[in-house]
Amino acid sequence: MLNFLDDVTLGSKVYKSCVVESNGDAKSSSVILPVYIVRGKEAGPFVLVLAGVHGDEFEPMAAVQDLYKTLDPTVMHGGVVCIGCCNPGAYENASRCSPEDSSNLARVFPGDASGTITERIAHVIHEKFICHTDVALVIDLHSAGKIYKMVPLCGYNVYADPEDSNLTETSRKVAHSMALPLTWGHVMDVNVAKSSKLGEESSGRTSLFGAYLARKPHVYCETTGTGGLVQDDVTMYTEALSRALHHMGILSASVENKPGVTMYLCEPSSDDVHGTGHLQSQNCSPTEGLFRVCVSLWESVTKGQKIGVVTDIYGGKELHQCVADKTGIVILLRHVSRVAKGDALVVIVNANVI
């Protein structure tokens, strides 16, 4: 696929396949990315939607399918291109990462054309889609996967450099337009990402970093997870995407949020640093064991409050008491109770009702 808009006429829908070629290594494989394109009758910007960056996050994949079915190109100005599953190998294994290289696709952008399968996928997504001239916004859809459960949110990066203030502000406005229950802005130090090797867990080399390099506004979304497919979350995503398309001027009509939904906002404090949005590095267990949680998602907690305990399966001895690292709202909890040393147990943010 040289250009995803090739042979896509105005006012049409097209499904295409994008091949990520083998790098020539005997153990290397090629993969096919499913691409859904809706091109409006009138010219305008395109929104790129990514789903299935992690193979055990199913709601984004279903949301892309539903969005494609429901959009009417004859009333659109511009369009939307969706990669329905960015990580087919991980999806086929129902795992976060591809079994071929065990690499996290959300840590290797902008990728490497001659690298591992995950690095090559990132390279193709970055070069053929994120950097495409007509793409004006990147939305990366996620869920909490099989291991965790979390609240629905839309996140955006806050950049310290004044030259990036417009990118921050444009992304912030998109995040608010999607009207998910939590809007979360967190600090991103691009120098950390630039100096990190592909694949480093704390690098920040997500698709959003790729969009930053291309100077495109960008947001990401998260929802419940737990390894299933929650249809209410799928619907919530398709409605949020339609609101983003309306915000970008692609759709003239939008879907109103359900009445009575409490909305929260979490913005960076003066002491926030790079990594506050890295969920897997917060409140990690110092030992393996059985995690017994005693709080719920959306619960308000105070610093030092007991969140749960990790016990020894042999005899039930308490090995670790997890307490809140700050006062705030619980937005993520470990879902699979068996934990290993270093596994995140809870994420808490200082969010306010808006």
Side-chain angles (χ1 to χ4, degrees):
M1 180 186 290
L2 297 178
N3 182 333
F4 68 75
L5 285 180
D6 286 346
D7 304 319
V8 182
T9 59
L10 292 172
S12 67
K13 294 183 181 183
V14 177
Y15 171 81
K16 291 188 175 186
S17 297
C18 178
V19 179
V20 180
E21 301 288 355
S22 165
N23 63 5
D25 187 289
K27 296 182 179 179
S28 173
S29 62
S30 61
V31 299
I32 296 175
L33 306 182
V35 181
Y36 302 84
I37 305 165
V38 185
R39 188 173 193 178
K41 188 176 181 180
E42 304 293 337
F46 268 74
V47 171
L48 170 63
V49 181
L50 306 179
V53 166
H54 296 129
D56 62 345
E57 302 177 3
F58 305 115
E59 288 88 354
M61 305 179 206
V64 161
Q65 294 177 356
D66 289 358
L67 182 72
Y68 179 74
K69 291 176 182 177
T70 57
L71 285 177
D72 179 2
T74 64
V75 298
M76 294 168 60
H77 291 72
V80 59
V81 54
C82 306
I83 303 180
C85 181
C86 295
N87 203 340
Y91 162 73
E92 290 166 6
N93 199 48
S95 58
R96 180 174 173 83
C97 303
S98 171
E100 184 171 318
D101 60 5
S102 301
S103 185
N104 185 348
L105 181 54
R107 301 294 183 271
V108 297
F109 279 85
D112 182 347
S114 59
T116 69
I117 182 59
T118 302
E119 293 167 354
R120 297 198 311 279
I121 290 172
H123 173 78
V124 168
I125 293 172
H126 186 261
E127 294 298 318
K128 294 184 181 296
F129 295 92
I130 293 175
C131 292
H132 193 284
T133 304
D134 290 310
V135 168
L137 170 67
V138 177
I139 300 177
D140 192 350
L141 299 180
H142 288 265
S143 82
K146 294 190 296 187
I147 304 300
Y148 293 97
K149 56 184 177 182
M150 67 185 303
V151 305
L153 64 85
C154 185
Y156 66 96
N157 287 335
V158 177
Y159 298 103
D161 192 326
E163 292 186 1
D164 297 327
S165 60
N166 185 59
L167 204 54
T168 295
E169 182 61 16
T170 306
S171 300
R172 184 189 70 81
K173 289 179 178 179
V174 172
H176 279 277
S177 78
M178 296 187 77
L180 290 172
L182 172 65
T183 301
W184 186 17
H186 37 68
V187 173
M188 170 66 178
D189 186 342
V190 293
N191 293 318
V192 173
K194 289 178 179 178
S195 62
S196 299
K197 296 180 180 178
L198 294 181
E200 288 187 12
E201 185 58 31
S202 60
S203 66
R205 284 181 171 271
T206 65
S207 65
L208 273 61
F209 177 60
Y212 169 86
L213 294 176
R215 310 306 295 171
K216 305 289 181 75
H218 44 272
V219 299
Y220 74 96
C221 302
E222 300 276 4
T223 193
T224 308
T226 70
L229 197 158
V230 181
Q231 184 55 44
D232 285 349
D233 285 1
V234 174
T235 301
M236 179 170 54
Y237 265 174
T238 56
E239 292 177 351
L241 288 169
S242 77
R243 289 191 284 268
L245 295 177
H246 174 69
H247 174 79
M248 295 296 291
I250 298 170
L251 290 178
S252 58
S254 181
V255 178
E256 295 296 325
N257 210 345
K258 293 181 175 63
V261 176
T262 303
M263 307 292 290
Y264 292 84
L265 173 64
C266 178
E267 294 183 313
S269 62
S270 58
D271 58 350
D272 275 358
V273 296
H274 175 87
T276 53
H278 184 217
L279 303 172
Q280 290 79 17
S281 65
Q282 302 188 41
N283 297 294
C284 297
S285 176
T287 183
E288 66 176 23
L290 183 70
F291 181 46
R292 304 182 62 178
V293 65
C294 55
V295 297
S296 303
L297 292 177
W298 291 119
E299 186 170 335
S300 296
V301 297
T302 56
K303 184 176 181 178
Q305 180 179 331
K306 181 179 177 182
I307 300 297
V309 296
V310 179
T311 61
D312 187 351
I313 196 67
Y314 301 102
K317 180 182 177 180
E318 183 177 308
L319 303 174
H320 169 64
Q321 183 173 115
C322 175
V323 299
D325 61 327
K326 61 173 70 73
T327 296
I329 304 292
V330 175
I331 68 164
L332 176 143
L333 284 168
R334 177 85 180 181
H335 174 65
V336 174
S337 294
R338 197 281 178 189
V339 300
K341 182 179 179 180
D343 285 343
L345 302 177
V346 62
V347 174
I348 300 163
V349 300
N350 184 11
N352 299 306
V353 176
I354 56 174

